[in-house]
Amino acid sequence: MKICVCVKHVPDTAATIKIEGDAGFKDSEIKFVVNPYDEYGIEEAVKLVEKNGGEVVIVTVGKPEADATIRSGLAMGAERGILVTTDGQFLDATLTAKALKAAMEKDGLPDLIFTGKGSVDTEAFQTQYRLAGYLGLPVVNEVSKLTVDSGKAVAELEVGGGDKQVIEMNLPCVIGATKGLNEPRYPKFPDIMKAKKKKIDQMSLADLGIDAATGAVILEKLEPVPERSGAKMIEGSVEDQVTELIRVLKEDEKVL
Amino acid sequence: MARTGILIETENGAVKDTSLGVMTAAKGQEIIALVTDGDPAGLKDKLAEFGAAKIVKLAASGGDITAGPDLLAGALAAAVKEYDLTALLGTASVAGKDLFARLAALMDLPLVSDCVALDVEGKTAKKSHFSGKTFATLKVDAAVLLATVRPNAIEAEPAPAAGETAEFTADVADPGKVVIKEVKKGDADKIDLTEAPIIITGGRAIKAAENYKMLEACAAKIGAAVGASRAAVDAGYAPHSMQVGQTGKTVSPRLYIACGVSGAVQHFAGMKTSKVIVAINEDKDAPIFAKCDYGIVGDIFDVVPVLTEKL
Ligand SMILES: Cc1cc2nc3c(=O)[nH]c(=O)nc-3n(C[C@H](O)[C@H](O)[C@H](O)COP(=O)(O)OP(=O)(O)OC[C@H]3O[C@@H](n4cnc5c(N)ncnc54)[C@H](O)[C@@H]3O)c2cc1C
């Protein structure tokens, strides 16, 4: 069984984002990591291959520095990687999906594709659907439980209000992974050393016939989310504090 | 006047407040409210009050439109053409996010998901980037703008319109790729966290699963949902479906009350755009007090019961 895991190279969520110009950010000083949700996809893929045989291929569309992020996935047990290089961090989701499709077609289409449920940088929640659309495959997102057996995948996902759906699809299909699916492993030192020798194929967007300038979504501006300047502290006895809080929320803020 | 479609979500036969906020996001446009379940006549007054020129009950020739997400996406694509829409908006609920992504893939159109502000005419949207640390302003260069709006991010304002009712049956069938085998019902009485107008969250300080009852009692009085921090989820006090934050739910209620939550960036990533944030924490130096609106220094087990009683 061949499984592709789409992995994005994103700033660590603990990193401070310093905005540069109108719509850029200073990426040289911050740490980049595997998009946290993609780790659930890598773990699930590696576990399936450990059980059934086959190979796990990490596919990334990103800057050349994303090589290090692919290595993290290889250290978790993936066999090899494919890096489609771009100039910047932001690429229209339609182009990312086209690049992922083209890279997979070139390498040979897999039996199963994992992505994360979304990426923590652009929070756009759509690449997996577009990839599935371009490949004509079924897709489900936010999967927290999965069984793959005799050509079928059965996925469980939360659909709001605590309700869960159980969905069946034929393979190949696209699965957007989220927390709950598994506990991603921490690679051990020998795995990290071994990952350094694994193969990563590199190609550019242009090599796949994709023009980065054709995106239809333009990032015009990036600005910090305004921070609150600190709480107004409500003092007094518990009775007094609560009475004042309710008054403020009702009369001043009108939220109660 | 350009025509904007709004996908209406309902609950127990009534329009959800979150959908009314989405209608307000399109104010100034000719609004076509698209209804997929329930009786449009019963929804008419509310939808007309908040700006619907037309209320269309959407159906599909291929079967029950609510039976599968790909069929509904197909029917919406047909409605975009039928009514010559220049924008189609929905709620960034769990179902809404999934559906709009399917629709965007099907129509090969750009999609801006989870917007906090929207200029429909200018096809420009503002949304969170980098786990709530920045806002990005995105301009869409396409014939049709597809966008979902973060629940409660835009406050609903009445804007009376005609509210004519109509029906449209799209000539589409389910591609049969995704088959829903079973729906496991959660706790039906619980208000959905992502869409709740008020949220009360218990952090690690809650100390035991049964202590959430204290928060539920308070929540019940004001129509709030109960959330949890990751520390509380990891300790087994609450299920992951209750987690707020970067690896949990993103919420934007008008009031967020954090009880015994320290205020980590990853927690704030999921609730920063709330209108008013209140923190109750026994540590006067807890970081959360530096980034919320109102603070009470105190033990949650002393403060919350008094709050419940006085509400
Ligand atoms: C990649 C990543 C993703 C993450 N995602 C999330 C996420 O989605 N959501 C999330 O919440 N966190 C997330 N975290 C974890 C986050 O960093 C914090 O560890 C977590 O939010 C802390 O939870 P807490 O505030 O409940 O616990 P603590 O930090 O332990 O704070 C407990 C607070 O309660 C107070 N307290 C204790 N007892 C009482 C009492 N009786 N009365 C009043 N106050 C009391 C204490 O003073 C303290 O401030 C993530 C971390 C990482 C690295």
Side-chain angles (χ1 to χ4, degrees):
Chain A
M1 179 176 222
K2 175 178 177 180
I3 308 179
C4 283
V5 187
C6 305
V7 169
K8 195 170 186 186
H9 172 70
V10 297
D12 188 339
T13 54
T16 305
I17 303 294
K18 281 193 200 140
I19 293 165
E20 240 177 7
D22 282 339
F25 70 104
K26 209 170 159 74
D27 61 2
S28 53
E29 291 162 8
I30 54 176
K31 189 176 155 208
F32 277 71
V33 295
V34 173
N35 178 47
Y37 298 111
D38 303 349
E39 287 185 349
Y40 300 110
I42 301 172
E43 177 65 34
E44 201 64 13
V46 169
K47 276 205 320 218
L48 279 167
V49 162
E50 281 170 351
K51 199 170 130 211
N52 305 320
E55 66 162 354
V56 178
V57 182
I58 305 277
V59 189
T60 296
V61 179
K63 292 177 297 180
E65 293 79 7
D67 182 89
T69 290
I70 297 182
R71 299 266 171 220
S72 305
L74 298 178
M76 285 176 71
E79 195 67 33
R80 57 194 176 86
I82 301 173
L83 174 58
V84 182
T85 53
T86 57
D87 297 333
Q89 181 72 17
F90 302 116
L91 184 67
D92 198 318
T94 54
L95 299 179
T96 306
K98 280 181 186 160
L100 290 168
K101 171 184 183 252
M104 286 180 200
E105 279 173 345
K106 198 170 164 221
D107 194 67
L109 282 176
D111 303 297
L112 183 59
I113 300 170
F114 283 99
T115 70
K117 78 154 183 183
S119 63
V120 297
D121 57 348
T122 56
E123 305 176 39
F125 301 104
Q126 52 188 270
T127 302
Q128 58 275 45
Y129 294 90
R130 295 189 189 278
L131 174 63
Y134 291 141
L135 289 169
L137 300 179
V139 55
V140 286
N141 202 30
E142 305 217 31
V143 172
S144 56
K145 202 171 160 186
L146 181 71
T147 41
V148 175
D149 197 14
S150 24
K152 282 190 190 311
V154 178
E156 194 170 295
L157 46 140
E158 207 193 304
V159 287
D163 290 358
K164 288 187 168 159
Q165 268 179 1
V166 181
I167 284 183
E168 190 180 276
M169 291 157 293
N170 286 328
L171 297 187
C173 60
V174 180
I175 304 283
T178 193
K179 195 180 169 188
L181 188 58
N182 50 49
E183 275 306 323
R185 66 193 70 187
Y186 284 108
K188 296 189 186 68
F189 184 69
D191 300 323
I192 296 169
M193 293 315 288
K194 235 163 71 190
K196 292 193 172 161
K197 295 199 197 78
K198 290 182 179 172
K199 192 171 121 212
I200 299 179
D201 277 330
Q202 259 200 42
M203 60 202 79
S204 69
L205 273 184
D207 292 339
L208 295 172
I210 296 164
D211 178 359
T214 57
V217 180
I218 301 122
L219 175 64
E220 287 193 327
K221 194 173 164 198
L222 210 53
E223 61 195 307
V225 171
E227 292 285 350
R228 291 166 164 85
S229 53
K232 182 168 181 300
M233 300 305 289
I234 299 174
E235 317 281 348
S237 67
V238 172
E239 291 276 325
D240 292 348
Q241 286 174 314
V242 169
T243 307
E244 173 60 7
L245 177 66
I246 294 174
R247 189 200 64 76
V248 165
L249 296 178
K250 279 194 173 141
E251 293 172 18
D252 300 350
E253 300 286 355
K254 301 188 169 54
V255 290
L256 264 185
Chain B
M1 204 165 31
R3 230 182 252 156
T4 294
I6 310 281
L7 179 65
I8 301 299
E9 294 190 358
T10 64
E11 193 166 37
N12 304 325
V15 181
K16 284 191 187 176
D17 287 346
T18 48
S19 285
L20 299 177
V22 180
M23 290 174 76
T24 302
K27 104 184 136 200
Q29 306 281 306
E30 182 186 349
I31 294 177
I32 313 284
L34 299 165
V35 179
T36 59
D37 56 352
D39 173 16
L43 309 171
K44 184 181 151 110
D45 290 350
K46 197 85 197 204
L47 293 173
E49 182 190 345
F50 285 85
K54 209 180 207 137
I55 300 162
V56 177
K57 168 93 188 209
L58 193 60
S61 58
D64 174 7
I65 201 169
T66 56
D70 288 326
L71 178 60
L72 185 47
L76 282 173
V80 168
K81 293 198 183 79
E82 173 75 15
Y83 294 99
D84 204 10
L85 303 177
T86 53
L88 179 64
L89 316 179
T91 314
S93 58
V94 184
K97 276 207 261 190
D98 178 73
L99 183 62
F100 271 72
R102 286 178 196 276
L103 177 65
L106 182 66
M107 300 188 78
D108 205 10
L109 279 172
L111 163 69
V112 192
S113 62
D114 209 16
C115 305
V116 295
L118 204 55
D119 167 8
V120 176
E121 198 66 48
K123 295 206 164 85
T124 305
K126 196 162 148 179
K127 73 175 301 285
S128 161
H129 257 35
F130 298 117
S131 311
K133 288 198 272 281
T134 65
F135 280 136
T137 302
L138 301 171
K139 188 168 172 67
V140 171
D141 178 18
V144 184
L145 168 71
L146 298 180
T148 55
V149 177
R150 181 171 289 185
N152 306 309
I154 297 171
E155 213 166 313
E157 288 167 22
E164 243 176 75
T165 50
E167 280 181 30
F168 171 59
T169 301
D171 190 17
V172 286
D174 196 297
K177 285 185 185 143
V178 162
V179 181
I180 302 173
K181 283 283 179 197
E182 191 189 340
V183 178
K184 297 183 179 171
K185 281 276 163 207
D187 191 339
D189 299 336
K190 276 199 184 141
I191 298 173
D192 190 82
L193 201 55
T194 40
E195 298 171 44
I198 304 178
I199 293 174
I200 303 178
T201 287
R204 195 200 303 272
I206 203 83
K207 288 196 186 81
E210 69 259 25
N211 291 338
Y212 274 100
K213 289 206 187 86
M214 175 177 82
L215 300 185
E216 278 159 16
C218 187
K221 280 208 143 166
I222 47 175
V226 177
S229 71
R230 171 153 154 187
V233 171
D234 287 351
Y237 307 153
H240 180 243
S241 61
M242 277 170 65
Q243 184 178 318
V244 173
Q246 182 204 306
T247 36
K249 302 258 156 51
T250 303
V251 300
S252 194
R254 63 171 189 262
L255 174 60
Y256 189 92
I257 306 177
C259 305
V261 173
S262 61
V265 279
Q266 295 91 351
H267 189 77
F268 265 69
M271 39 64 82
K272 214 175 180 176
T273 56
S274 304
K275 191 162 171 234
V276 175
I277 301 173
V278 174
I280 304 169
N281 196 303
E282 64 180 7
D283 174 9
K284 68 172 179 22
D285 297 322
I288 193 163
F289 288 132
K291 40 191 184 180
C292 70
D293 299 298
Y294 298 98
I296 287 182
V297 176
D299 187 321
I300 57 169
F301 296 101
D302 295 335
V303 178
V304 176
V306 178
L307 181 62
T308 308
E309 187 198 304
K310 288 189 186 288
L311 277 168

